[in-house]
Amino acid sequence: MRYAPFLALGAILIGGTTLAQPPVPEVPPGLSAEIKASRAAVQQFSTTLKDALQTAIKNGGPVEGIAVCHDKAGQIATDLSTQLNMMVGRTSLKVRNPENAPDTWELAVLKQFEARKTQGETVDTLEFSAVVTDDQGQKTFRYMKAIPTGTMCLSCHGTSIPPDVEAKLTALYPKDTARGFKEGDLRGAFTLAKPLP
Ligand code: HEC
């Protein structure tokens, strides 16, 4: 609530394309097609996952939802990666599944998102992209989009997780650190990568 006036401003700044000076130089020139494709991929991934999660929770509660996240999230990401010919995944500063741990570039972007959030930008619209070149000279387009914590996330990522959910999570993820989030927190980010010719 403290950030309410800034949030509105942040939405305008990020959402608008006509502004001469965006808050950070996040769109490399000539990459608008990749950015557009990335936004669409994130939208598709997010909707597919949320729909599956919501259905499972409606039918069997959060414990049932865990199965979706555990069994299906990875599969949806893999299917989408094949379909779109780009790596699609999720990461966070506090991961549940160690396989989702950020690499160096992702870690820096996640920290940048937290800093931008602190400065008043709204989590919903935080995104960042760049072209990175590895040791072999291979160029890769990389894109990340922030994932905010919503109310439906709290039963599994919040501060007071129901005991049956907690027990199941601990059994599946003994190294779980993805708890204690509050609504509006940066839960993590979608992360995409596409090798460039
Ligand atoms: C029913 C329990 C449940 C709910 C509700 C839930 N999650 Fe998760 N979440 C999980 C599980 C389990 C994983 C681990 C998935 C895996 O093994 O890759 C996970 C992983 C994640 C990850 C990947 C990074 C990591 O920590 O491994 C993100 C990001 C994430 N959740 C965000 C959300 C958001 C945002 C919401 C609300 C829209 C949400 N989750 C709701 C159970 C849940």
Side-chain angles (χ1 to χ4, degrees), residues 1-113:
M1 274 321 228
R2 226 169 358 130
Y3 294 122
F6 299 104
L7 288 178
L9 181 64
I12 295 161
L13 285 173
I14 305 292
T17 47
T18 49
L19 279 162
Q21 279 190 318
V24 282
E26 63 179 277
V27 179
L31 287 176
S32 52
E34 270 82 3
I35 291 168
K36 248 176 127 175
S38 301
R39 285 177 183 152
V42 162
Q43 186 67 40
Q44 199 179 337
F45 188 17
S46 168
T47 309
T48 312
L49 201 52
K50 258 195 201 156
D51 286 353
L53 189 56
Q54 248 157 1
T55 308
I57 291 177
K58 215 162 97 188
N59 294 336
V63 174
E64 200 57 40
I66 295 173
V68 169
C69 296
H70 181 259
D71 305 327
K72 286 203 189 149
Q75 192 55 50
I76 294 170
T78 310
D79 290 350
L80 209 53
S81 300
T82 315
Q83 189 190 323
L84 302 171
N85 197 23
M86 54 162 83
M87 187 285 286
V88 179
R90 294 186 303 168
T91 188
S92 176
L93 290 171
K94 286 167 75 184
V95 291
R96 172 151 291 159
N97 185 338
E99 284 179 22
N100 296 328
D103 66 18
T104 313
W105 188 83
E106 289 165 333
L107 186 64
V109 176
L110 286 165
K111 286 182 178 168
Q112 179 221 88
F113 284 172

Side-chain angles (χ1 to χ4, degrees), residues 53 56-57 60-70 96 151-174 176 178-180:
L53 189 56
I57 291 177
V63 174
E64 200 57 40
I66 295 173
V68 169
C69 296
H70 181 259
R96 172 151 291 159
T151 38
M152 80 164 281
C153 320
L154 299 178
S155 54
C156 294
H157 294 294
T159 45
S160 57
I161 297 172
D164 54 340
V165 178
E166 159 110 59
K168 179 93 190 183
L169 287 174
T170 305
L172 288 169
Y173 304 96
D176 186 13
R179 303 179 191 191

